[in-house]
Amino acid sequence: MMICPCGTELAYENCCQPYHLKITNAPTAEMLMRSRYSAFVVADADYLFETTHISKRKENSKDAYLKSAKNTKWLKLEIISATYDKVEFKAYYLNSKFQTEVLHEKSNFKFQEGKWYYVDGIFY
């Protein structure tokens, strides 16, 4: 059993995997954020692309997502705050010198046609 990378302490199969397998959709912006983080960890570029808002897909290709996911060793996700359509988080990873770095972002999400989508974010 794999613990879900998103930080909920649940088993992956009971947390983000059903979203990745398209069994169900993430019910909130925060859960979409968590499932996208997990998708980076497991290198699920299709899920990352499909959960990016259509207006932003041109600048975020599946290949780019796959390359980013495979070239990054993600360590943990910390949710700072979450509202209806905004999630601030810190994602910890190892850089090329095996030093811990932090991606700090306040992300914007949009609920459209029954699904949440990542739109963009502000990096700190």
Side-chain angles (χ1 to χ4, degrees):
M1 176 189 78
M2 177 176 134
I3 297 295
C4 196
C6 81
T8 60
E9 306 284 321
L10 297 171
Y12 174 63
E13 64 190 25
N14 297 324
C15 194
C16 291
Q17 189 178 40
Y19 307 135
H20 296 167
L21 296 176
K22 300 181 185 89
I23 294 167
T24 188
N25 295 322
T28 64
E30 180 181 344
M31 275 315 300
L32 181 67
M33 169 57 233
R34 288 181 180 279
S35 69
R36 284 175 58 86
Y37 173 83
S38 292
F40 272 107
V41 173
V42 301
D44 188 340
D46 288 340
Y47 183 78
L48 291 164
F49 182 77
E50 289 162 14
T51 57
T52 299
H53 192 267
I54 197 159
S55 67
K56 302 292 182 176
R57 286 185 185 165
K58 203 174 197 176
E59 60 230 48
N60 296 284
S61 70
K62 283 185 194 181
D63 287 344
Y65 277 130
L66 188 61
K67 186 178 178 188
S68 174
K70 288 192 172 210
N71 291 334
T72 306
K73 172 66 177 149
W74 296 101
L75 301 173
K76 77 172 187 172
L77 175 67
E78 178 186 346
I79 302 294
I80 307 297
S81 65
T83 61
Y84 175 73
D85 61 355
K86 292 186 185 352
V87 179
E88 183 177 353
F89 68 92
K90 290 182 179 178
Y92 297 82
Y93 64 96
L94 289 180
N95 67 19
S96 60
K97 295 176 183 158
F98 301 104
Q99 297 166 317
T100 301
E101 292 202 26
V102 181
L103 171 73
H104 184 181
E105 181 179 345
K106 191 171 201 173
S107 301
N108 297 300
F109 295 85
K110 187 171 188 170
F111 191 70
Q112 190 172 318
E113 297 172 14
K115 291 182 181 178
W116 281 102
Y117 295 92
Y118 170 78
V119 178
D120 58 17
I122 298 167
F123 296 92
Y124 297 94

